[in-house]
Amino acid sequence: MDIQKHTDDFFKTLLQFRLSYDVSKHLTEQTENNWREFEEKQHTNSYPIKGWGLIAHKSLLDSWTLQEDNLLHEEDLNPSNTGAEINSFPRDTVSIIYIFSLLEDYGNTVCDELNPSYRKSRQAWHRDIHGDADWNCNSKQQEMLKNFCKPFGFNLTDVPISIVEALVKLKKQRNSIIHELKHSNNFEVYFSYVIAIACCIYFCLGVAKPEIKLYLWEDYENKYG
C-alpha cells in the first residue's frame, strides 16, 4: 500500500466534506432567514417537496420486494409544512458519524499494513480506546495511550496525550449517537479532532513527509505551494 497516497486521499476527502458541510449549513441558514419566500416558491413551482405516507399490513408486507416498495407513498404537500423543517435535519450528528467512519477506515488500513495480525474480523484499530475512560485518572490515561500506540507499534513518547484524549472524546460522542440516539451540534469540534488524530498517526509512521500542505482550491496567497 502507498501510505502517502492513502493519507493524501483521506485528507482530501475530509477537506472536501468540510466544504460540503459548510455550504449546506450556509444555505440552510439563508433559507431559514427567508422561510416565507422558501414556502411561497413551492406554490409556484409544482410543489417540489413531497410528503411521505406509510400504509402497511401483513399482506402488503408479504408482497414487498427489493425492487418494488408498496409501503411508502409520495403525496403532494402544502408548503406551510416545510418551513419548520429547514434546519431540522441532524447535519452535525450524521456528519460526525461519517468522519468517524473515515478515520476508522484510515487507521484500519494503516494498522493492517504495519501490524497485519492485530485486527480480527470486524474489529477496529481503536477497539481498546474507551469512550467512557475516566480522564481524571492518570493510570487510565496511560492505559489509553498504550492502547492507541499498540495497533501501529508506535513509541509512547511519540504520541501527545491530548491526541489520545481527543480520540476518547470522539468515541464517547460517537457511542452516544449510535447507542443512545443523542444528537450533537459540535461537528466542527470533532472534525478538528479527526484531523489531529490522523495527523498523529501519519507523523508517527516514520515514513511521513516532514510537513503536510494541502488545499484543494485556488491558493491565492501561495500558502500551500
Side-chain angles (χ1 to χ4, degrees):
M1 181 190 70
D2 186 337
I3 289 181
Q4 184 64 57
K5 182 179 184 306
H6 180 60
T7 300
D8 286 345
D9 289 346
F10 168 76
F11 282 122
K12 287 177 182 178
T13 299
L14 276 177
L15 295 177
Q16 188 74 55
F17 182 74
R18 178 60 188 266
L19 177 61
S20 298
Y21 171 92
D22 288 339
V23 169
S24 173
K25 183 177 180 180
H26 176 72
L27 290 174
T28 297
E29 290 172 349
Q30 276 195 327
T31 306
E32 195 170 33
N33 290 333
N34 298 281
W35 63 271
R36 290 186 186 277
E37 180 183 352
F38 171 73
E39 292 182 4
E40 289 169 1
K41 282 184 177 180
Q42 295 169 62
H43 282 292
T44 59
N45 196 25
S46 303
Y47 303 98
I49 300 177
K50 306 296 183 181
W52 288 92
L54 169 65
I55 300 175
H57 49 74
K58 186 60 169 63
S59 61
L60 280 175
L61 184 63
D62 290 341
S63 61
W64 184 92
T65 68
L66 297 176
Q67 293 73 33
E68 184 173 352
D69 182 355
N70 59 358
L71 305 179
L72 288 170
H73 303 271
E74 189 180 55
E75 309 290 352
D76 286 338
L77 181 69
N78 188 321
S80 64
N81 294 290
T82 63
E85 300 302 320
I86 292 171
N87 200 24
S88 65
F89 185 79
R91 179 176 50 246
D92 283 45
T93 301
V94 298
S95 296
I96 289 168
I97 295 301
Y98 179 65
I99 62 172
F100 180 92
S101 298
L102 291 176
L103 177 64
E104 179 174 271
D105 179 72
Y106 175 74
N108 284 348
T109 304
V110 174
C111 174
D112 292 346
E113 182 75 9
L114 300 179
N115 191 2
S117 63
Y118 181 79
R119 290 197 316 123
K120 296 179 181 178
S121 178
R122 301 183 183 277
Q123 286 185 336
W125 69 271
H126 55 74
R127 66 175 188 255
D128 292 327
I129 303 293
H130 305 143
D132 60 355
D134 180 5
W135 207 249
N136 294 317
C137 175
N138 185 66
S139 62
K140 183 59 67 173
Q141 289 186 23
Q142 293 305 306
E143 178 187 349
M144 294 299 101
L145 172 61
K146 291 176 183 177
N147 291 345
F148 185 103
C149 295
K150 186 166 48 176
F152 311 106
F154 294 159
N155 294 322
L156 301 183
T157 54
D158 289 339
V159 176
I161 195 66
S162 59
I163 296 296
V164 183
E165 182 180 9
L167 181 54
V168 168
K169 289 187 173 182
L170 177 63
K171 287 201 69 173
K172 182 177 182 179
Q173 178 64 81
R174 179 261 186 187
N175 291 343
S176 72
I177 294 171
I178 295 295
H179 301 301
E180 301 175 34
L181 300 181
K182 292 185 177 180
H183 290 280
S184 173
N185 294 313
N186 294 314
F187 169 75
E188 290 93 342
V189 171
Y190 294 105
F191 183 83
S192 72
Y193 289 2
V194 167
I195 291 287
I197 294 164
C199 284
C200 178
I201 294 172
Y202 173 68
F203 285 125
C204 287
L205 290 175
V207 296
K209 294 180 179 179
E211 185 177 40
I212 298 174
K213 282 191 173 184
L214 185 61
Y215 185 69
L216 308 183
W217 303 279
E218 294 82 2
D219 183 11
Y220 295 117
E221 298 182 5
N222 197 30
K223 290 172 61 177
Y224 303 92

Coordinates of all heavy atoms in Angstrom, one line a residue, residues 51-92:
G51 N -44.7 15.0 0.7 CA -44.8 14.3 2.0 C -44.8 12.8 1.8 O -45.1 12.3 0.7
W52 N -44.4 12.1 2.8 CA -44.3 10.6 2.7 C -45.3 10.0 3.6 O -45.3 10.4 4.8 CB -42.9 10.1 2.9 CG -42.0 10.5 1.8 CD1 -41.2 11.6 1.7 CD2 -41.8 9.7 0.6 NE1 -40.5 11.5 0.5 CE2 -40.8 10.4 -0.2 CE3 -42.3 8.5 0.2 CZ2 -40.4 9.9 -1.4 CZ3 -41.8 8.0 -1.1 CH2 -40.9 8.7 -1.8
G53 N -46.1 9.1 3.1 CA -47.0 8.4 4.0 C -46.7 6.9 4.0 O -46.0 6.4 3.1
L54 N -47.2 6.2 5.0 CA -47.0 4.8 5.2 C -48.3 4.1 5.3 O -49.1 4.4 6.1 CB -46.1 4.5 6.4 CG -46.0 3.1 6.9 CD1 -45.2 2.2 5.9 CD2 -45.3 3.0 8.2
I55 N -48.5 3.1 4.5 CA -49.7 2.2 4.6 C -49.1 0.7 4.6 O -48.4 0.3 3.7 CB -50.7 2.3 3.4 CG1 -51.2 3.7 3.4 CG2 -51.8 1.3 3.6 CD1 -52.1 4.0 2.2
A56 N -49.3 0.0 5.7 CA -48.7 -1.3 5.8 C -49.7 -2.2 6.6 O -50.3 -1.8 7.5 CB -47.4 -1.2 6.6
H57 N -49.8 -3.4 6.0 CA -50.4 -4.5 6.7 C -49.7 -5.8 6.2 O -48.9 -5.8 5.3 CB -51.9 -4.6 6.5 CG -52.4 -4.4 5.1 ND1 -52.3 -5.4 4.2 CD2 -52.9 -3.3 4.5 CE1 -52.8 -5.0 3.1 NE2 -53.2 -3.7 3.2
K58 N -50.1 -6.9 6.8 CA -49.3 -8.2 6.6 C -49.3 -8.6 5.1 O -48.3 -9.0 4.6 CB -49.9 -9.3 7.5 CG -49.1 -10.6 7.4 CD -47.6 -10.4 7.9 CE -46.9 -11.7 8.2 NZ -46.7 -12.5 7.0
S59 N -50.4 -8.5 4.5 CA -50.5 -8.9 3.1 C -49.6 -8.0 2.2 O -49.0 -8.5 1.2 CB -51.9 -9.0 2.6 OG -52.5 -7.7 2.6
L60 N -49.6 -6.7 2.5 CA -48.7 -5.8 1.7 C -47.2 -6.2 2.0 O -46.4 -6.2 1.1 CB -49.0 -4.4 2.1 CG -50.2 -3.7 1.4 CD1 -50.3 -2.3 2.0 CD2 -50.0 -3.6 -0.1
L61 N -46.9 -6.5 3.2 CA -45.6 -6.8 3.6 C -45.1 -8.1 2.9 O -44.0 -8.2 2.4 CB -45.4 -7.0 5.1 CG -44.0 -7.3 5.6 CD1 -43.1 -6.1 5.3 CD2 -44.1 -7.5 7.1
D62 N -46.0 -9.1 2.8 CA -45.7 -10.3 2.1 C -45.4 -10.1 0.6 O -44.6 -10.9 0.0 CB -46.9 -11.3 2.2 CG -47.0 -11.8 3.7 OD1 -46.1 -11.7 4.4 OD2 -48.1 -12.3 4.0
S63 N -45.9 -9.1 0.0 CA -45.7 -8.8 -1.4 C -44.6 -7.8 -1.6 O -44.3 -7.5 -2.8 CB -47.0 -8.4 -2.1 OG -47.5 -7.2 -1.5
W64 N -44.1 -7.2 -0.6 CA -43.0 -6.2 -0.7 C -41.7 -6.9 -1.3 O -41.4 -8.0 -0.9 CB -42.7 -5.6 0.7 CG -41.7 -4.5 0.7 CD1 -41.9 -3.2 0.6 CD2 -40.2 -4.7 0.8 NE1 -40.7 -2.5 0.6 CE2 -39.7 -3.4 0.8 CE3 -39.4 -5.8 0.9 CZ2 -38.3 -3.2 0.9 CZ3 -38.0 -5.6 1.0 CH2 -37.5 -4.3 1.0
T65 N -41.1 -6.2 -2.2 CA -39.8 -6.7 -2.7 C -38.7 -5.7 -2.7 O -39.0 -4.5 -2.5 CB -40.0 -7.2 -4.2 OG1 -40.2 -6.1 -5.0 CG2 -41.1 -8.2 -4.3
L66 N -37.5 -6.1 -2.9 CA -36.4 -5.1 -3.0 C -36.6 -4.1 -4.2 O -36.1 -3.0 -4.2 CB -35.1 -5.8 -3.1 CG -34.7 -6.7 -2.0 CD1 -33.4 -7.5 -2.3 CD2 -34.5 -5.9 -0.7
Q67 N -37.2 -4.6 -5.2 CA -37.4 -3.8 -6.4 C -38.7 -2.9 -6.4 O -38.8 -2.0 -7.1 CB -37.5 -4.7 -7.7 CG -36.2 -5.5 -8.0 CD -35.9 -6.6 -7.0 OE1 -36.8 -7.2 -6.5 NE2 -34.6 -6.8 -6.8
E68 N -39.6 -3.3 -5.6 CA -40.9 -2.6 -5.6 C -41.4 -2.4 -4.1 O -41.8 -3.3 -3.5 CB -42.0 -3.3 -6.4 CG -43.3 -2.5 -6.5 CD -44.3 -3.1 -7.4 OE1 -43.9 -4.1 -8.1 OE2 -45.4 -2.6 -7.4
D69 N -41.3 -1.1 -3.7 CA -41.8 -0.8 -2.3 C -43.2 -0.4 -2.4 O -43.6 0.6 -3.0 CB -40.9 0.4 -1.8 CG -41.3 0.8 -0.4 OD1 -42.2 0.2 0.2 OD2 -40.6 1.7 0.2
N70 N -44.1 -1.2 -1.8 CA -45.5 -0.9 -1.8 C -46.0 -0.4 -0.5 O -47.2 -0.3 -0.2 CB -46.3 -2.2 -2.2 CG -46.0 -3.3 -1.2 OD1 -45.2 -3.2 -0.3 ND2 -46.7 -4.4 -1.4
L71 N -45.1 0.1 0.4 CA -45.5 0.5 1.7 C -45.4 2.1 1.8 O -46.2 2.7 2.5 CB -44.6 -0.1 2.8 CG -44.5 -1.6 2.8 CD1 -43.5 -2.0 4.0 CD2 -45.8 -2.2 3.0
L72 N -44.5 2.7 1.2 CA -44.3 4.1 1.2 C -45.0 4.8 0.0 O -44.9 4.3 -1.1 CB -42.8 4.5 1.2 CG -42.0 4.2 2.5 CD1 -40.5 4.4 2.3 CD2 -42.6 5.1 3.7
H73 N -45.6 6.0 0.3 CA -46.3 6.7 -0.7 C -46.0 8.1 -0.7 O -46.0 8.8 0.4 CB -47.8 6.5 -0.5 CG -48.2 5.0 -0.5 ND1 -48.6 4.3 -1.6 CD2 -48.3 4.1 0.5 CE1 -48.9 3.1 -1.3 NE2 -48.7 2.9 0.0
E74 N -45.7 8.7 -1.9 CA -45.3 10.1 -2.0 C -46.6 10.9 -2.3 O -47.4 10.5 -3.2 CB -44.3 10.3 -3.1 CG -43.7 11.7 -3.3 CD -42.7 11.8 -4.4 OE1 -43.1 11.4 -5.5 OE2 -41.6 12.2 -4.1
E75 N -46.8 12.0 -1.6 CA -48.0 12.8 -1.7 C -47.7 14.3 -1.8 O -46.7 14.7 -1.3 CB -48.9 12.6 -0.4 CG -49.2 11.2 0.0 CD -50.1 10.4 -1.0 OE1 -50.6 11.1 -1.9 OE2 -50.2 9.2 -0.8
D76 N -48.5 15.0 -2.5 CA -48.4 16.5 -2.6 C -48.5 17.0 -1.2 O -49.3 16.6 -0.4 CB -49.5 17.1 -3.5 CG -49.2 16.8 -4.9 OD1 -48.0 16.6 -5.3 OD2 -50.2 16.9 -5.7
L77 N -47.7 18.0 -0.9 CA -47.6 18.6 0.5 C -47.8 20.1 0.4 O -47.2 20.8 -0.4 CB -46.2 18.2 1.1 CG -45.9 18.7 2.5 CD1 -46.8 17.9 3.5 CD2 -44.5 18.5 2.8
N78 N -48.6 20.6 1.3 CA -48.8 22.0 1.5 C -47.5 22.6 2.0 O -46.9 22.2 3.0 CB -49.9 22.3 2.5 CG -50.3 23.8 2.5 OD1 -49.4 24.6 2.5 ND2 -51.5 24.1 2.7
P79 N -46.9 23.6 1.3 CA -45.6 24.2 1.7 C -45.6 24.8 3.1 O -44.5 25.0 3.6 CB -45.4 25.3 0.6 CG -46.1 24.8 -0.6 CD -47.4 24.1 0.0
S80 N -46.7 25.0 3.7 CA -46.7 25.6 5.0 C -46.1 24.6 6.0 O -45.8 24.9 7.1 CB -48.1 25.9 5.5 OG -49.0 24.8 5.5
N81 N -46.0 23.3 5.6 CA -45.4 22.3 6.4 C -43.9 22.2 6.3 O -43.3 21.5 7.2 CB -46.0 20.9 6.1 CG -47.5 20.8 6.4 OD1 -47.9 20.7 7.5 ND2 -48.3 20.8 5.3
T82 N -43.3 22.8 5.3 CA -41.9 22.6 5.1 C -41.0 23.6 5.8 O -39.9 23.3 6.1 CB -41.6 22.7 3.6 OG1 -41.9 24.0 3.1 CG2 -42.5 21.7 2.8
G83 N -41.5 24.8 6.1 CA -40.7 25.9 6.7 C -40.1 25.5 8.0 O -38.9 25.7 8.3
A84 N -40.8 24.8 8.8 CA -40.4 24.4 10.1 C -39.3 23.3 10.1 O -38.6 23.0 11.1 CB -41.5 23.8 11.0
E85 N -39.1 22.7 8.9 CA -38.1 21.6 8.8 C -36.8 22.1 8.2 O -35.9 21.2 8.0 CB -38.7 20.5 7.9 CG -40.0 19.9 8.4 CD -39.9 19.3 9.8 OE1 -38.8 18.7 10.0 OE2 -40.8 19.5 10.6
I86 N -36.7 23.3 7.9 CA -35.5 23.8 7.2 C -34.2 23.5 7.9 O -33.2 23.0 7.3 CB -35.6 25.4 7.0 CG1 -36.7 25.7 6.0 CG2 -34.3 25.9 6.5 CD1 -37.0 27.2 6.0
N87 N -34.2 23.6 9.2 CA -33.0 23.3 10.0 C -33.1 22.2 10.9 O -32.5 22.1 12.0 CB -32.6 24.6 10.8 CG -31.2 24.6 11.2 OD1 -30.3 23.9 10.6 ND2 -30.8 25.3 12.3
S88 N -34.0 21.2 10.6 CA -34.3 20.1 11.5 C -33.4 18.9 11.2 O -33.3 18.0 12.0 CB -35.8 19.7 11.5 OG -36.1 19.2 10.2
F89 N -32.9 18.8 10.0 CA -32.0 17.7 9.6 C -30.8 17.6 10.5 O -30.1 18.6 10.7 CB -31.6 17.7 8.1 CG -30.9 16.5 7.7 CD1 -31.5 15.4 7.3 CD2 -29.5 16.5 7.6 CE1 -30.9 14.2 6.9 CE2 -28.8 15.4 7.2 CZ -29.5 14.3 6.8
P90 N -30.5 16.5 11.1 CA -29.4 16.4 12.1 C -28.0 16.3 11.4 O -27.3 15.4 11.4 CB -29.7 15.0 12.8 CG -30.4 14.2 11.7 CD -31.2 15.2 11.0
R91 N -27.7 17.5 10.7 CA -26.5 17.5 9.9 C -25.2 17.3 10.7 O -24.3 16.5 10.3 CB -26.4 18.9 9.3 CG -25.2 19.2 8.4 CD -25.2 20.5 7.7 NE -25.5 21.6 8.7 CZ -26.6 22.3 8.7 NH1 -27.5 22.1 7.7 NH2 -26.8 23.3 9.6
D92 N -25.1 17.9 11.9 CA -23.9 17.6 12.7 C -23.8 16.2 13.1 O -22.7 15.6 13.1 CB -23.9 18.5 13.9 CG -23.5 20.0 13.6 OD1 -24.0 20.5 12.6 OD2 -22.7 20.6 14.3

